[in-house]
Amino acid sequence: MGTAVDDPAAEFHAFFENHYAELARLAHLLTGESDAADDLAADALLALWHHWDRVRAADHPVAYARGVVANLARTRIRSAVRERRRIALFWSHRDERTENPDVSAVVDVQEALRRLPFRKRACVVLRHAFDLSEKDTALALGISVGTVKSQTSKAMAELERSLGAVDAPRRMQSAATATRLTRPAEGRD
């Protein structure tokens, strides 16, 4: 292991290999965009490489990396919202609503997640799809444990209403597992 300490590039390469897939899954779950997930994970890792001395000295480098992904995802979502608003201004005569009161009661978990505000979505994804503790979730998002608890609780209540189920955590976990979105066993910290 002396090589990793002596060679920051090798240490970063090992970090990349161990955590890239997890960071891409996190980006996918936060944005709902599979195409953007790889780009966001790559952008996050590039940012980490530029500040690798600071990252490797951090108490929780993976939590730091998750925070970078979450911030990049938030920025992407905000940009998309601004773009939609600009388009809506030009096409204001069209009603963008696609909801229909006759839509079936079954709602896709990813669609239900997309409806949540970003912080609630991030808390639910990290807690239930990535099975992180409240403390690890707080570290990744740069918020307090109490905020994680309240945001997760509120988000789960919204998901239960949206999904029409009292077993939303199980459905969230099942959806993540079914699409191979759960965190790999290796590389856990």
Side-chain angles (χ1 to χ4, degrees):
M1 190 79 149
T3 308
V5 172
D6 297 337
D7 186 4
E11 185 180 32
F12 177 78
H13 180 75
F15 183 88
F16 179 96
E17 291 294 324
N18 289 331
H19 301 289
Y20 175 80
E22 172 191 346
L23 296 174
R25 286 190 301 275
L26 174 60
H28 178 253
L29 287 170
L30 292 176
T31 63
E33 300 175 19
S34 58
D35 296 339
D38 286 331
D39 292 341
L40 284 174
D43 290 347
L45 285 160
L46 179 62
L48 293 174
W49 171 246
H50 287 299
H51 301 288
W52 186 241
D53 289 337
R54 188 176 355 161
V55 174
R56 69 194 281 216
D59 290 336
H60 304 284
V62 176
Y64 189 98
R66 290 178 186 134
V68 171
V69 169
N71 287 334
L72 289 172
R74 180 182 308 122
T75 300
R76 182 175 185 85
I77 290 166
R78 285 179 178 165
S79 294
V81 167
R82 281 193 301 272
E83 183 65 22
R84 280 188 222 120
R85 286 180 183 153
R86 283 191 287 264
I87 291 170
L89 286 174
F90 291 112
W91 298 98
S92 60
H93 65 279
R94 291 186 61 198
D95 185 15
E96 293 294 323
R97 298 187 111 201
T98 57
E99 295 179 41
N100 183 349
D102 297 327
V103 175
S104 72
V106 178
V107 179
D108 180 57
V109 171
Q110 284 187 334
E111 184 59 35
L113 281 171
R114 277 188 217 110
R115 292 182 189 141
L116 291 174
F118 181 81
R119 185 177 283 178
K120 288 179 183 176
R121 181 183 335 154
C123 287
V124 168
V125 166
L126 289 170
R127 291 282 293 126
H128 293 286
F130 279 73
D131 200 28
L132 292 184
S133 69
E134 290 164 342
K135 181 181 175 186
D136 289 342
T137 301
L139 276 171
L141 298 176
I143 58 179
S144 72
V145 172
T147 302
V148 169
K149 289 178 181 181
S150 68
Q151 293 292 294
T152 303
S153 175
K154 291 174 185 176
M156 291 308 294
E158 288 180 37
L159 285 172
E160 286 173 3
R161 282 191 300 274
S162 178
L163 295 170
V166 293
D167 60 341
R170 185 189 58 75
R171 289 181 67 185
M172 174 80 181
Q173 191 70 39
S174 296
T177 303
T179 56
R180 299 181 191 264
L181 296 174
T182 55
R183 200 171 158 199
E186 70 274 356
R188 283 193 179 194
D189 35 294

